[in-house]
Amino acid sequence: MKRVATIVGARPQFIKAAAMSWAFRRKTGVVEELIHTGQHYDPGLSDVFFRELEIPAPRHHLEIGSGSHGAQTGEMLKQVERLLEADRPDLVLVYGDTNSTLAGALAAAKLHIPVAHVEAGLRSFNRAMPEEINRIVTDHLSTWHFCPTRKAVEHLRTEGLTTGVHLVGDVMFDVALKTAERSRTQSRFVAGALQPKSFTLATVHRAENTDDPTRLAAILGALSTLSKRLKIIFPIHPRTRRVMAERGLTAKSIEFIDPVGMLDMTWLEANAALIVTDSGGVQKEAYFHQTPCVTVRTETEWVETIQAGWNSLADPGDSGAIVAAATKALEGGLPRQQIADYGDGHAADAIVSVLERALA
Ligand code: UD1
Ligand code: UDP
């Protein structure tokens, strides 16, 4: 029996890993074991996803926790290497662009264990983002590149990566289809605490926004202005909560709530009148649930959402620009088209089929 070691550590990776774990369990021939780096450790950022999405408990939990990029990635590299050396899986599977992704891919590649990268080929062309560095390095260390979009395939080609590239669709879409159905009956919001389309959903956690005092203040200022029109529900990432506390920033008109699980998040995304976010996953899910979105960033990896009219970028340092983009989106914005990327909800099955054949 062939063995795959899946490396996860941060919230969006648990969600992507769920789709893959479901697909692995539907097939025979490959056994998957999870290594959790512990990058995210609050129960609301980690345990809830394992529980709600029925992800198997990790075989190893490294409990590495937070730290500077070098310290955190270095500790992960050291500990993942030790485990991979002892376990010798046939393949290492990594997701996205976090420090856990980079450490997993690097540890495996140095041990000559082939790496498969799910969500390969995305680029923001902004090297100030830690994620951009992580994904470029990971792509160049990987043997298999599973791309969610045609643009991602194009980016890899530009960088000379043309073998082992598979356009499979987006595993997050696989999950969105399943959770949409469940959230309609199983979310706590079904009880009626919020009326559909009566609120804007906001999430902000990206380092370039939280760690820049002007940007975070501008985003919160814009949300406060928008709250005069629609209530703002803001599940707050611990990074953002910490920075606001450190800087004494408050925003009384915003309803901050603890981070929510996937069923509640799906309900919120599907029922919001508008989403304002800097999250990669959330801007895409906005489209999956056909909710208009404003992304408070200067660029995005998910360019199809912009081209199709579902998403627009707003300068995170310019409160007026954010309010203008949100107002336009609420009032109909651009004509909205369906997107040909992201697959048919079976991206994970396609990936497992490729890996099964490769490992046979
Ligand atoms: C990380 C990823 C980012 C991804 C995000 C998903 C990197 C470089 N960044 O960012 O790409 O979009 O996860 O959410 O890998 N903290 C807690 N509890 C936790 C986890 C974090 O309080 O369970 C706080 C700590 O103060 C920590 C800070 O959040 O220092 C940032 O956490 P970290 O994992 O370093 O980065 P994220 O901002 O979560
Ligand atoms: N998410 C969630 N609860 C929250 C905020 C986000 O379940 O309170 C989900 C969201 O639906 C998406 C994923 O977490 O699937 C995105 O993670 P995040 O925004 O932390 O990271 P990014 O996608 O930007 O890397």
Side-chain angles (χ1 to χ4, degrees), residues 11-12 15 49 172 205-206 235 259-262 265 269 279-282 285:
R11 172 166 67 188
I15 296 159
F49 298 99
M172 288 190 91
H205 76 281
R206 224 153 261 296
V260 295
M262 200 61 208
M265 189 63 180
E269 288 173 339
S279 158
V282 175
E285 287 165 347

Side-chain angles (χ1 to χ4, degrees), residues 195-199 230 269-274 289-292:
Q195 285 311 305
K197 307 300 166 198
S198 70
F199 63 95
L230 284 173
E269 288 173 339
N271 288 285
L274 174 72
H289 303 299
Q290 308 275 282
T291 302

Side-chain angles (χ1 to χ4, degrees), residues 139-275:
D139 279 334
H140 285 263
L141 294 170
S142 298
T143 302
W144 292 279
H145 309 87
F146 294 108
C147 298
T149 62
R150 289 164 293 175
K151 201 75 189 162
V153 174
E154 227 177 279
H155 292 148
L156 292 179
R157 194 181 310 127
T158 308
E159 293 175 24
L161 298 173
T162 52
T163 53
V165 176
H166 299 268
L167 178 60
V168 288
D170 188 350
V171 293
M172 288 190 91
F173 184 48
D174 299 11
V175 177
L177 291 179
K178 287 232 161 47
T179 51
E181 208 178 303
R182 288 178 61 204
S183 78
R184 283 193 275 274
T185 52
Q186 294 176 31
S187 158
R188 75 172 120 138
F189 295 110
V190 173
L194 282 170
Q195 285 311 305
K197 307 300 166 198
S198 70
F199 63 95
T200 293
L201 171 67
T203 80
V204 175
H205 76 281
R206 224 153 261 296
E208 66 266 25
N209 284 339
T210 57
D211 297 3
D212 179 325
T214 328
R215 285 184 169 188
L216 189 55
I219 296 168
L220 294 174
L223 291 173
S224 297
T225 304
L226 289 167
S227 73
K228 293 183 190 126
R229 179 168 180 165
L230 284 173
K231 185 191 287 215
I232 311 285
I233 306 295
F234 191 144
I236 186 165
H237 190 286
R239 173 195 279 277
T240 316
R241 193 185 283 286
R242 175 171 54 74
V243 174
M244 284 181 68
E246 281 167 7
R247 292 203 204 118
L249 281 172
T250 52
K252 290 207 171 53
S253 52
I254 299 173
E255 275 189 46
F256 292 105
I257 59 174
D258 285 337
V260 295
M262 200 61 208
L263 295 174
D264 286 342
M265 189 63 180
T266 303
W267 191 94
L268 290 170
E269 288 173 339
N271 288 285
L274 174 72
I275 295 178

Side-chain angles (χ1 to χ4, degrees), residues 9-13 38-43 45-46 65-69 72-73 76 97-101 129-131 134 205-207 210 237-240 242 246 278-280:
R11 172 166 67 188
Q13 292 167 331
Q39 177 170 352
H40 284 177
Y41 43 88
D42 287 352
L45 263 74
S46 175
S66 307
S68 68
H69 285 280
Q72 188 184 54
T73 313
M76 288 174 185
D97 52 21
T98 72
N99 289 346
S100 299
T101 315
M129 289 177 74
E131 293 85 0
N134 291 344
H205 76 281
R206 224 153 261 296
T210 57
H237 190 286
R239 173 195 279 277
T240 316
R242 175 171 54 74
E246 281 167 7
D278 62 4
S279 158

